[in-house]
Amino acid sequence: MASQLFSNFDAEMGVSLGYLNSGGNALRLGVSTTKMAYFNGQKALWDPLYLAYKDPLTKEETQKDIEDLFKTFNQDMEDNKETLKSNTDITLTGTDILKLFIHIDAARRNYVAVPNIAPVNSCTKYAVGVNKVYAGNPTEGHITDKHLPDDVAKIGRAIAYVPHYQPAPTRDKYTTISSVGSTSFDILVATINRHMVCYIITWYINNRGDFGGESDPFNFDTV
């Protein structure tokens, strides 16, 4: 679904550019000031356009513009990942790989154990057609971390909608949606599912694609 694709890109792109723009990371990784200026310029175009796209009142009129921008911006970000991955003059750290969402070929990976913890979920934003969920690290001292736990590459997600005052759904009623690479993410709510109760279950995924245990179901009202 395009809306979910844009939401995932928005989350991952924000993390990646935030990382490159901080601590001299772009310079260390050989990303030129020209390229960073281009990426930041694209983000400056994306941010207001994405906000308008999420607004039901302006979604239709921004559909083509955001599709066109996504096509080029996403490809540029993917090309940058491949450039960094193939550059033998730099050594990517584990943090580089996680923050920039770089896929490492299986032959080059070290085994990482399946996460033995599950996220704790909360809803941090209620708006028409969209809710923002925060999947927090349950480890003491890390509950408010904005970054993923060590050795976690993604967060898996499954959701279900039920009318108000109805029993909680059984696990087989949940639909798995795309995993995300950030602790805070949007759940875009179709018109048919508004004014209902959304239940969400999340789990951690390591760099081999292994799943950790599932969180307790968390529910919130949609509007």
Side-chain angles (χ1 to χ4, degrees):
M1 184 172 71
S3 294
Q4 196 64 55
L5 191 68
F6 298 156
S7 175
N8 293 346
F9 173 73
D10 181 73
E12 294 193 5
M13 176 269 296
V15 171
S16 294
L17 288 187
Y19 183 68
L20 287 173
N21 278 307
S22 65
N25 289 321
L27 178 63
R28 175 175 59 83
L29 295 172
V31 183
S32 69
T33 54
T34 300
K35 183 173 286 188
M36 285 305 302
Y38 170 75
F39 284 149
N40 289 328
Q42 291 290 84
K43 185 177 187 300
L45 294 174
W46 172 271
D47 287 346
L49 184 59
Y50 182 55
L51 283 175
Y53 174 76
K54 291 194 295 182
D55 187 335
L57 297 178
T58 52
K59 179 174 182 176
E60 185 175 352
E61 66 190 68
T62 57
Q63 179 80 37
K64 185 178 187 308
D65 288 340
I66 199 167
E67 287 176 352
D68 290 344
L69 181 56
F70 170 79
K71 189 179 300 182
T72 56
F73 195 6
N74 179 62
Q75 187 59 56
D76 290 337
M77 294 294 289
E78 291 299 316
D79 289 346
N80 189 57
K81 292 181 192 179
E82 289 302 313
T83 298
L84 294 174
K85 180 178 170 182
S86 61
N87 188 346
T88 57
D89 292 331
I90 62 172
T91 299
L92 294 171
T93 67
T95 302
D96 293 335
I97 291 168
L98 287 176
K99 294 293 188 181
L100 300 175
F101 305 93
I102 296 173
H103 173 76
I104 301 300
D105 296 334
R108 295 175 58 189
R109 295 178 189 161
N110 295 320
Y111 177 73
V112 175
V114 176
N116 62 1
I117 55 176
V120 175
N121 302 301
S122 60
C123 186
T124 60
K125 174 185 175 182
Y126 297 83
V128 176
V130 60
N131 293 83
K132 185 175 290 292
V133 172
Y134 171 69
N137 183 341
T139 308
E140 185 176 356
H142 297 276
I143 295 173
T144 60
D145 284 358
K146 293 183 179 180
H147 57 79
L148 294 172
D150 293 342
D151 299 326
V152 170
K154 297 272 188 176
I155 294 176
R157 307 177 297 172
I159 59 175
Y161 294 94
V162 298
H164 287 282
Y165 311 114
Q166 295 300 309
T170 55
R171 184 61 179 87
D172 60 297
K173 300 300 183 183
Y174 283 76
T175 298
T176 299
I177 60 177
S178 59
S179 57
V180 293
S182 60
T183 57
S184 186
F185 50 84
D186 289 341
I187 296 295
L188 303 176
V189 183
T191 302
I192 194 174
N193 292 322
R194 293 179 188 170
H195 307 293
M196 298 184 73
V197 180
C198 178
Y199 285 79
I200 184 167
I201 291 172
T202 58
W203 57 90
Y204 290 132
I205 304 172
N206 69 8
N207 65 3
R208 292 169 54 92
D210 300 322
F211 291 5
E214 294 185 347
S215 71
D216 292 333
F218 171 76
N219 67 81
F220 54 88
D221 293 340
T222 64
V223 294

